[in-house]
Amino acid sequence: MIRVNEEVKRALKEGKAVVALESTIISHGMPYPKNVETALKVEAEIRKYGAIPATIGIIDGVGIVGMSKEEIEEFGKRKGIVKTSRRDLPVIFARKLWGATTVATTMILAKEAGIEVFVTGGIGGVHRGAPETFDISADLQELANTDVTVVCAGAKAILDLNLTLEYLETYGVTVLGYQTYELADFYTAHSGLKLEYKIDSPEDGAKIIKAKRENNLKGGILITNPIPEQDAMDKKVIDDSINKAIEEMQKLGIRGKETTPYLLAKISELTGGESLESNIRLVLNNAKVGAQIAIEYAKIK
Ligand code: PSU
Ligand code: MN
């Protein structure tokens, strides 16, 4: 049920660096046309460092690994694309629907295609209030089980980051701070939460990926790369907006898979678009680091 584009197929066969990208960030994470512009810029950034991008999504029930420019454009505009996590996949495949892949399903399809490194903005995690709502992103279970390295700016700040780290620890996910011991906080660099490990360079990261794979230590690796200081938001401004957005969401009774898209859009509205700009910058910054790690990994694997 997957189709890998020719360029990506060739690169994988020759052992070159390929970087997977998700499509939920396009269809549900950002408004049109910024979503498409960003997706294409991220691809260009990955190429700039010498790796091949492979944006992943599901078209008419077929998992596409390496969408064309036209397909990305369509993902940015089309209504009714289903946000697809692991539980949704069989339905999307059987009914030949369009599915936007989340971190979880992008990992599944990347693994299937043989891609190790995947770049996104922020992963899903344990939501605030999860002890009551049980809302824990399926992304975390996927990281526990699927052999892909995810480069991100931490878990989205709308979450409970402390509980997210606890969950990752319990499920044996290797978490590495990129040039820092502090967990990145999506819109800002500082969550105040300490990580066990930092990597100093892409080579350093590649060696750890290799060690995990060589020793058959099943599961994902999470590399958290903080947003550059000049692109980060003011902590107080973003925290206030997040709290307001969560309050609003509870009033409206929004739950489940709608939570994350609602909050991202609402926070952007409350910050006058500033959070969206930060989101775009942090993804581009992750693309740079992810491409470099993929290149170093391709050299030693
Ligand atoms: N990162 C972003 N924007 C997004 C997402 C991540 O910068 O929209 C998406 C990812 O696809 C992630 C999903 O898997 O949000 C998490 O959704 P949930 O909390 O429902 O699992
Ligand atoms: Mn959820």
Side-chain angles (χ1 to χ4, degrees), residues 126-136 160 163 246 249-250 255-256:
V126 181
H127 281 265
R128 300 182 190 182
E132 295 292 321
T133 64
F134 274 47
D135 191 349
I136 299 172
D160 187 320
L163 294 186
I246 290 176
M249 179 183 81
Q250 283 163 347
R255 307 170 45 175

PDB file of all heavy atoms in Angstrom, residues 126-136 160 163 246 249-250 255-256:
ATOM      1  N   VAL A 126       1.650  13.859  25.964  1.00  0.00           N
ATOM      2  CA  VAL A 126       0.629  13.747  27.014  1.00  0.00           C
ATOM      3  C   VAL A 126      -0.008  15.124  27.201  1.00  0.00           C
ATOM      4  O   VAL A 126       0.683  16.100  27.491  1.00  0.00           O
ATOM      5  CB  VAL A 126       1.272  13.297  28.344  1.00  0.00           C
ATOM      6  CG1 VAL A 126       0.199  13.168  29.429  1.00  0.00           C
ATOM      7  CG2 VAL A 126       2.020  11.976  28.160  1.00  0.00           C
ATOM      8  N   HIS A 127      -1.314  15.191  26.990  1.00  0.00           N
ATOM      9  CA  HIS A 127      -1.993  16.486  27.126  1.00  0.00           C
ATOM     10  C   HIS A 127      -2.133  16.900  28.583  1.00  0.00           C
ATOM     11  O   HIS A 127      -2.160  16.054  29.478  1.00  0.00           O
ATOM     12  CB  HIS A 127      -3.371  16.440  26.455  1.00  0.00           C
ATOM     13  CG  HIS A 127      -3.284  16.583  24.975  1.00  0.00           C
ATOM     14  ND1 HIS A 127      -3.423  17.776  24.317  1.00  0.00           N
ATOM     15  CD2 HIS A 127      -3.015  15.666  24.017  1.00  0.00           C
ATOM     16  CE1 HIS A 127      -3.260  17.597  23.019  1.00  0.00           C
ATOM     17  NE2 HIS A 127      -3.014  16.315  22.800  1.00  0.00           N
ATOM     18  N   ARG A 128      -2.216  18.208  28.813  1.00  0.00           N
ATOM     19  CA  ARG A 128      -2.495  18.695  30.164  1.00  0.00           C
ATOM     20  C   ARG A 128      -3.862  18.146  30.561  1.00  0.00           C
ATOM     21  O   ARG A 128      -4.780  18.124  29.738  1.00  0.00           O
ATOM     22  CB  ARG A 128      -2.519  20.225  30.167  1.00  0.00           C
ATOM     23  CG  ARG A 128      -1.189  20.819  29.715  1.00  0.00           C
ATOM     24  CD  ARG A 128      -1.228  22.328  29.766  1.00  0.00           C
ATOM     25  NE  ARG A 128      -0.039  22.871  29.100  1.00  0.00           N
ATOM     26  CZ  ARG A 128       0.218  24.166  29.015  1.00  0.00           C
ATOM     27  NH1 ARG A 128      -0.612  25.060  29.514  1.00  0.00           N
ATOM     28  NH2 ARG A 128       1.303  24.585  28.396  1.00  0.00           N
ATOM     29  N   GLY A 129      -3.985  17.703  31.745  1.00  0.00           N
ATOM     30  CA  GLY A 129      -5.253  17.127  32.183  1.00  0.00           C
ATOM     31  C   GLY A 129      -5.413  15.666  31.777  1.00  0.00           C
ATOM     32  O   GLY A 129      -6.470  15.065  31.976  1.00  0.00           O
ATOM     33  N   ALA A 130      -4.374  15.081  31.216  1.00  0.00           N
ATOM     34  CA  ALA A 130      -4.468  13.685  30.757  1.00  0.00           C
ATOM     35  C   ALA A 130      -4.829  12.694  31.864  1.00  0.00           C
ATOM     36  O   ALA A 130      -5.494  11.688  31.586  1.00  0.00           O
ATOM     37  CB  ALA A 130      -3.166  13.262  30.073  1.00  0.00           C
ATOM     38  N   PRO A 131      -4.416  12.939  33.111  1.00  0.00           N
ATOM     39  CA  PRO A 131      -4.840  12.000  34.163  1.00  0.00           C
ATOM     40  C   PRO A 131      -6.370  11.875  34.229  1.00  0.00           C
ATOM     41  O   PRO A 131      -6.888  10.842  34.659  1.00  0.00           O
ATOM     42  CB  PRO A 131      -4.267  12.617  35.439  1.00  0.00           C
ATOM     43  CG  PRO A 131      -3.053  13.360  34.972  1.00  0.00           C
ATOM     44  CD  PRO A 131      -3.445  13.910  33.626  1.00  0.00           C
ATOM     45  N   GLU A 132      -7.093  12.900  33.775  1.00  0.00           N
ATOM     46  CA  GLU A 132      -8.563  12.842  33.715  1.00  0.00           C
ATOM     47  C   GLU A 132      -9.059  12.394  32.344  1.00  0.00           C
ATOM     48  O   GLU A 132      -9.942  11.563  32.227  1.00  0.00           O
ATOM     49  CB  GLU A 132      -9.153  14.243  33.993  1.00  0.00           C
ATOM     50  CG  GLU A 132      -8.905  14.768  35.388  1.00  0.00           C
ATOM     51  CD  GLU A 132      -9.664  13.973  36.440  1.00  0.00           C
ATOM     52  OE1 GLU A 132     -10.822  13.600  36.172  1.00  0.00           O
ATOM     53  OE2 GLU A 132      -9.081  13.715  37.511  1.00  0.00           O
ATOM     54  N   THR A 133      -8.492  13.009  31.287  1.00  0.00           N
ATOM     55  CA  THR A 133      -9.033  12.786  29.932  1.00  0.00           C
ATOM     56  C   THR A 133      -8.443  11.568  29.231  1.00  0.00           C
ATOM     57  O   THR A 133      -8.997  11.089  28.246  1.00  0.00           O
ATOM     58  CB  THR A 133      -8.749  13.994  29.024  1.00  0.00           C
ATOM     59  OG1 THR A 133      -7.317  14.121  28.880  1.00  0.00           O
ATOM     60  CG2 THR A 133      -9.312  15.284  29.589  1.00  0.00           C
ATOM     61  N   PHE A 134      -7.295  11.087  29.702  1.00  0.00           N
ATOM     62  CA  PHE A 134      -6.558  10.000  29.045  1.00  0.00           C
ATOM     63  C   PHE A 134      -6.033  10.411  27.670  1.00  0.00           C
ATOM     64  O   PHE A 134      -5.695   9.558  26.859  1.00  0.00           O
ATOM     65  CB  PHE A 134      -7.426   8.738  28.880  1.00  0.00           C
ATOM     66  CG  PHE A 134      -7.413   7.840  30.079  1.00  0.00           C
ATOM     67  CD1 PHE A 134      -7.578   8.344  31.350  1.00  0.00           C
ATOM     68  CD2 PHE A 134      -7.223   6.470  29.929  1.00  0.00           C
ATOM     69  CE1 PHE A 134      -7.577   7.514  32.457  1.00  0.00           C
ATOM     70  CE2 PHE A 134      -7.214   5.625  31.023  1.00  0.00           C
ATOM     71  CZ  PHE A 134      -7.388   6.151  32.293  1.00  0.00           C
ATOM     72  N   ASP A 135      -5.984  11.711  27.358  1.00  0.00           N
ATOM     73  CA  ASP A 135      -5.541  12.130  26.030  1.00  0.00           C
ATOM     74  C   ASP A 135      -4.017  12.112  25.940  1.00  0.00           C
ATOM     75  O   ASP A 135      -3.337  13.037  26.373  1.00  0.00           O
ATOM     76  CB  ASP A 135      -6.099  13.520  25.686  1.00  0.00           C
ATOM     77  CG  ASP A 135      -5.883  13.878  24.218  1.00  0.00           C
ATOM     78  OD1 ASP A 135      -5.129  13.145  23.545  1.00  0.00           O
ATOM     79  OD2 ASP A 135      -6.464  14.874  23.757  1.00  0.00           O
ATOM     80  N   ILE A 136      -3.530  11.029  25.386  1.00  0.00           N
ATOM     81  CA  ILE A 136      -2.086  10.855  25.167  1.00  0.00           C
ATOM     82  C   ILE A 136      -1.906  10.539  23.693  1.00  0.00           C
ATOM     83  O   ILE A 136      -2.510   9.596  23.183  1.00  0.00           O
ATOM     84  CB  ILE A 136      -1.540   9.700  26.032  1.00  0.00           C
ATOM     85  CG1 ILE A 136      -1.748  10.022  27.521  1.00  0.00           C
ATOM     86  CG2 ILE A 136      -0.072   9.441  25.714  1.00  0.00           C
ATOM     87  CD1 ILE A 136      -1.418   8.871  28.450  1.00  0.00           C
ATOM     88  N   ASP A 160       1.563  18.627  28.444  1.00  0.00           N
ATOM     89  CA  ASP A 160       2.238  18.514  29.727  1.00  0.00           C
ATOM     90  C   ASP A 160       3.591  17.859  29.441  1.00  0.00           C
ATOM     91  O   ASP A 160       3.683  16.643  29.246  1.00  0.00           O
ATOM     92  CB  ASP A 160       1.405  17.655  30.691  1.00  0.00           C
ATOM     93  CG  ASP A 160       1.998  17.667  32.091  1.00  0.00           C
ATOM     94  OD1 ASP A 160       3.239  17.607  32.214  1.00  0.00           O
ATOM     95  OD2 ASP A 160       1.219  17.755  33.057  1.00  0.00           O
ATOM     96  N   LEU A 163       5.018  15.143  32.002  1.00  0.00           N
ATOM     97  CA  LEU A 163       4.400  13.811  31.848  1.00  0.00           C
ATOM     98  C   LEU A 163       4.827  13.163  30.533  1.00  0.00           C
ATOM     99  O   LEU A 163       4.999  11.952  30.458  1.00  0.00           O
ATOM    100  CB  LEU A 163       2.867  13.915  31.919  1.00  0.00           C
ATOM    101  CG  LEU A 163       2.273  14.358  33.264  1.00  0.00           C
ATOM    102  CD1 LEU A 163       0.756  14.282  33.226  1.00  0.00           C
ATOM    103  CD2 LEU A 163       2.816  13.506  34.413  1.00  0.00           C
ATOM    104  N   ILE A 246      -6.662  26.883  25.706  1.00  0.00           N
ATOM    105  CA  ILE A 246      -7.127  25.646  26.350  1.00  0.00           C
ATOM    106  C   ILE A 246      -8.477  25.893  27.044  1.00  0.00           C
ATOM    107  O   ILE A 246      -9.398  25.067  26.949  1.00  0.00           O
ATOM    108  CB  ILE A 246      -6.078  25.101  27.349  1.00  0.00           C
ATOM    109  CG1 ILE A 246      -4.853  24.577  26.573  1.00  0.00           C
ATOM    110  CG2 ILE A 246      -6.655  23.987  28.221  1.00  0.00           C
ATOM    111  CD1 ILE A 246      -3.696  24.093  27.421  1.00  0.00           C
ATOM    112  N   MET A 249     -11.146  26.054  24.457  1.00  0.00           N
ATOM    113  CA  MET A 249     -11.386  24.716  23.915  1.00  0.00           C
ATOM    114  C   MET A 249     -12.293  23.908  24.840  1.00  0.00           C
ATOM    115  O   MET A 249     -13.218  23.219  24.381  1.00  0.00           O
ATOM    116  CB  MET A 249     -10.039  24.005  23.755  1.00  0.00           C
ATOM    117  CG  MET A 249     -10.155  22.599  23.235  1.00  0.00           C
ATOM    118  SD  MET A 249      -8.555  21.817  23.171  1.00  0.00           S
ATOM    119  CE  MET A 249      -8.368  21.308  24.870  1.00  0.00           C
ATOM    120  N   GLN A 250     -12.029  24.033  26.138  1.00  0.00           N
ATOM    121  CA  GLN A 250     -12.848  23.286  27.096  1.00  0.00           C
ATOM    122  C   GLN A 250     -14.289  23.775  27.073  1.00  0.00           C
ATOM    123  O   GLN A 250     -15.225  22.984  27.143  1.00  0.00           O
ATOM    124  CB  GLN A 250     -12.232  23.386  28.495  1.00  0.00           C
ATOM    125  CG  GLN A 250     -11.034  22.462  28.619  1.00  0.00           C
ATOM    126  CD  GLN A 250     -10.129  22.791  29.797  1.00  0.00           C
ATOM    127  OE1 GLN A 250     -10.247  23.857  30.400  1.00  0.00           O
ATOM    128  NE2 GLN A 250      -9.212  21.896  30.121  1.00  0.00           N
ATOM    129  N   ARG A 255     -12.532  17.884  21.694  1.00  0.00           N
ATOM    130  CA  ARG A 255     -11.796  16.766  22.295  1.00  0.00           C
ATOM    131  C   ARG A 255     -11.089  15.937  21.238  1.00  0.00           C
ATOM    132  O   ARG A 255     -11.277  16.126  20.053  1.00  0.00           O
ATOM    133  CB  ARG A 255     -12.778  15.837  23.032  1.00  0.00           C
ATOM    134  CG  ARG A 255     -13.652  16.539  24.029  1.00  0.00           C
ATOM    135  CD  ARG A 255     -14.739  15.631  24.532  1.00  0.00           C
ATOM    136  NE  ARG A 255     -14.173  14.322  24.860  1.00  0.00           N
ATOM    137  CZ  ARG A 255     -14.851  13.350  25.412  1.00  0.00           C
ATOM    138  NH1 ARG A 255     -16.122  13.504  25.698  1.00  0.00           N
ATOM    139  NH2 ARG A 255     -14.282  12.192  25.681  1.00  0.00           N
ATOM    140  N   GLY A 256     -10.319  14.975  21.722  1.00  0.00           N
ATOM    141  CA  GLY A 256      -9.717  13.964  20.846  1.00  0.00           C
ATOM    142  C   GLY A 256      -8.819  14.562  19.786  1.00  0.00           C
ATOM    143  O   GLY A 256      -8.059  15.503  20.049  1.00  0.00           O
TER     144      GLY A 256
END
